[in-house]
């Protein structure tokens, strides 16, 4: 199913191609992290699809919720069944753009600080997000990173009263991806 979602994502991203220079990955790394005195919550998904159009600044990402892996199987089960309800809400998406994309030259080595804004949809709820990121170009290889915090309540993710002190009310989301030119 994850390959089907990725193929559909790439096809949709390519529909408005024109003369765009699109970069993509199907191995984007997204991490969720939070920590309280009682519990550390750390999940990783290394199969997220990301497409970036360098001519327009458009940026889209998609990740299957069940693709997040935990150190402990019980925590992963609770994440999918109780909090994220991954059977009901199977994926998270981001649709937005790099606001200052014109300052990034993907043909020249360097570090480029970027501003990212758009809509994050998770757990069936869409919220506006804005954050900083960085694009590093090194001999034709492109690495993009970003991190931001989300409040679980903003996405209607409820924590049972029994464990409310064990789970932070906010989660840090970190994204790292190595992008390749999408040959059309």
């Amino acid at each position: 199913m994850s390959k089907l979602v990725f193929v559909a994502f790439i096809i949709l991203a390519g529909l408005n191609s024109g003369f765009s220079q699109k970069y993509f990955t199907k191995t984007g790394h997204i991490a969720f992290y939070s920590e309280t005195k009682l519990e550390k919550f750390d999940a990783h998904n290394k199969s997220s699809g990301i497409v970036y159009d360098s001519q327009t600044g458009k940026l889209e990402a998609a990740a299957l919720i069940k693709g997040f892996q935990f150190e402990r199987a019980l925590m992963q089960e609770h994440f999918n069944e109780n909090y994220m309800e991954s059977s009901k809400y199977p994926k998270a998406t981001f649709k937005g753009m790099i606001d200052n994309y014109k300052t990034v030259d993907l043909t020249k080595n360097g570090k480029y600080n970027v501003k990212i804004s758009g809509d994050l949809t998770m757990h069936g709820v869409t919220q506006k997000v804005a954050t900083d990121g960085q694009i590093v170009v090194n001999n034709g290889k492109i690495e993009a990173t970003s991190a931001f915090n989300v409040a679980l309540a903003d996405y209607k993710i409820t924590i049972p009263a029994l464990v409310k002190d064990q789970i932070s009310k906010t989660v840090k989301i970190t994204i790292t991806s190595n992008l390749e030119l999408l040959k059309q």
Side-chain angles (χ1 to χ4, degrees):
M1 179 159 157
S2 66
K3 288 182 182 179
L4 179 62
V5 170
F6 177 70
V7 169
F9 185 69
I10 293 297
I11 290 170
L12 289 174
L15 288 178
N16 61 355
S17 62
F19 294 105
S20 298
Q21 284 279 12
K22 289 195 171 76
Y23 295 84
F24 84 104
T25 185
K26 60 182 178 181
T27 58
H29 178 211
I30 299 177
F32 286 173
Y33 181 82
S34 74
E35 188 171 357
T36 64
K37 290 180 183 179
L38 300 173
E39 192 77 61
K40 182 175 104 172
F41 172 85
D42 193 12
H44 299 268
N45 183 326
K46 296 180 181 178
S47 58
S48 303
I50 300 170
V51 176
Y52 170 60
D53 185 332
S54 66
Q55 300 299 307
T56 64
K58 282 188 175 182
L59 182 66
E60 294 190 21
L64 291 175
I65 300 303
K66 287 187 178 180
F68 285 92
Q69 301 295 309
F70 292 76
E71 197 171 292
R72 296 186 325 215
L74 184 59
M75 190 175 276
Q76 186 166 328
E77 182 180 326
H78 287 176
F79 173 81
N80 281 298
E81 292 177 9
N82 302 341
Y83 309 124
M84 295 300 288
E85 300 176 275
S86 58
S87 293
K88 187 174 180 181
Y89 308 108
K91 67 180 176 174
T93 62
F94 175 82
K95 293 181 182 182
M97 68 180 304
I98 295 178
D99 299 323
N100 59 333
Y101 71 94
K102 290 183 179 181
T103 65
V104 178
D105 185 346
L106 298 178
T107 64
K108 292 184 180 178
N109 287 351
K111 291 182 182 179
Y112 302 91
N113 293 320
V114 295
K115 302 283 185 190
I116 303 164
S117 64
D119 296 322
L120 176 64
T121 302
M122 183 169 57
H123 198 247
V125 177
T126 301
Q127 295 285 341
K128 297 271 185 215
V129 295
T131 190
D132 296 326
Q134 187 174 74
I135 294 176
V136 176
V137 179
N138 186 11
N139 297 324
K141 296 183 189 246
I142 301 164
E143 180 182 70
T145 58
S146 182
F148 55 97
N149 293 312
V150 297
L152 298 179
D154 289 349
Y155 293 90
K156 297 184 180 170
I157 299 169
T158 56
I159 307 301
L162 184 64
V163 294
K164 72 176 185 161
D165 294 333
Q166 295 177 8
I167 298 175
S168 176
K169 292 177 175 52
T170 61
V171 175
K172 181 177 183 177
I173 299 175
T174 304
I175 302 167
T176 306
S177 59
N178 293 308
L179 301 171
E180 299 175 19
L181 185 61
L182 178 62
K183 295 181 173 71
Q184 300 177 18

